[in-house]
Amino acid sequence: MTSIKPLQMIAHAITDGIAAPEVLIPDNQSYHHFVLRPSTVRLLSQADLVVWIGPELEMWMEGQLAGSQKTVVEVLSLPGLITQHSGHDHEDAVEVLIPEQGSHAGHQHKDGAFLDPHVWLDTRNALLTARAITAALIQLDADNASQYQNNLDTFQQQLAQLEIRLQTQLEPLRQTDYAVYHDAFQYFESEFGLSHSLVFVGNEELQPGVRHTLAVRQAIANRPITCLMEDVTAQASTIRALLGNHPVKRITADTTGQTLTSTPQAYIQMISNLADAFLQCQSQ
C-alpha cells in the first residue's frame, strides 16, 4: 500500500509480474487535506508493506502508523535522499520569490525555510525509494527475491536512460526565463539544471491577498516571462486573478501522475510528460 500515486508507480515497477500495489489517496483528492475513512483504515491495516513520504506531506498517516508492527518505508527518512527547501513570507501568508538583480540570481526567503516533500520529482530519489521498497519486499517475500531484484535492475536502467535523454532535451530551456505558480517543481528543476525567475505563491492552499496580487503583477511587468508553469492542481481562477491583463503563456504540468494509470512504466512516463510540459515553454 502506498500513500500517493507517484509512490504507487515506483512500487509497481518493482512488483511487476508479482502483484499490483494499492494507493490510499484517490486521484481526485488532495494529499494535503485527505481524511481517512474507516474503509481506508481497513485497507491500511491489511497491507503487508506501507510506503509513504512522511509527516511533512501526509500528516494524517502518522497516527495510523504509530506503534504499528507492519513493515513501513518512510521516504523522507531514507539515508542519502536529496532534499530541497522553500521559504515563507508570513506577512501575507503567501510569498512572492523574486530574484535580485541579474539572471536567475536566486530566491529571497524571508522567514526561514521548510522541507519541500515533492521528493519523487527527482529520479535519483525515485531510485533510492525503489531500492528501499525492493529490500522490504525481499524481506517479506523471499520466494520472489530474484524477480524483485531483476525489476529493480530494469527500473534503474530505465531511469539512467531517461536522465541522459532529458539532460539533452532540456538543455535549451536553461536559458529560458519562466515563472512557476507554486514552487512544486524544484526537485525536477535542480536535477536538470533549470531555474525559474518568479514564484507566484508560496502556499497554493491559501488565497493571495490584494497586496500579494499587485506584487505579482508588478514583478511580471518588470521582468517579462516566457511562460508560467502551473501544477495540474492549481486553481485556474486564482491564476487569472493574479495575472490580470498580462498575457502570459500558461502550461499545465502533472506532478502526481493524475492523468496516468499506474503500471510498471508509469513513473518513467510521468517524468517524461513533465519534461514535455517544460519544453512547451520554449516552443513558439
Side-chain angles (χ1 to χ4, degrees), residues 2-11 23-27 31 256-262 266 270:
T2 68
S3 58
I4 60 175
K5 196 168 184 179
L7 294 180
Q8 181 190 28
M9 294 174 174
I10 295 171
V23 64
L24 281 175
I25 305 179
D27 289 349
Y31 44 70
T256 57
Q258 284 193 10
T259 60
L260 299 173
T261 300
S262 182
M270 181 183 71

Side-chain angles (χ1 to χ4, degrees), residues 69-140:
Q69 299 301 309
K70 64 173 73 268
T71 303
V72 176
V73 171
E74 182 180 325
V75 175
L76 286 178
S77 68
L78 295 177
L81 190 77
I82 297 169
T83 57
Q84 304 285 343
H85 291 75
S86 296
H88 278 297
D89 176 4
H90 295 294
E91 294 178 2
D92 198 28
V94 288
E95 67 179 348
V96 181
L97 302 182
I98 306 170
E100 297 171 356
Q101 296 302 314
S103 178
H104 304 304
H107 296 161
Q108 296 177 357
H109 289 177
K110 293 188 177 183
D111 266 333
F114 69 96
L115 178 64
D116 183 343
H118 299 83
V119 292
W120 63 87
L121 294 179
D122 189 313
T123 65
R124 296 164 294 185
N125 286 341
L127 178 58
L128 197 68
T129 302
R131 287 172 175 164
I133 292 172
T134 302
L137 287 170
I138 289 174
Q139 288 260 333
L140 291 168

Side-chain angles (χ1 to χ4, degrees), residues 51-74:
V51 186
W52 68 312
I53 297 295
E56 289 84 350
L57 185 72
E58 315 100 321
M59 187 182 303
W60 45 270
M61 277 190 69
E62 193 169 19
Q64 296 296 321
L65 296 176
S68 172
Q69 299 301 309
K70 64 173 73 268
T71 303
V72 176
V73 171
E74 182 180 325

Side-chain angles (χ1 to χ4, degrees), residues 187-203:
Y187 284 94
F188 181 83
E189 292 171 307
S190 176
E191 181 176 7
F192 295 105
L194 307 180
S195 178
H196 54 261
S197 59
L198 175 66
V199 180
F200 277 22
V201 299
N203 188 337

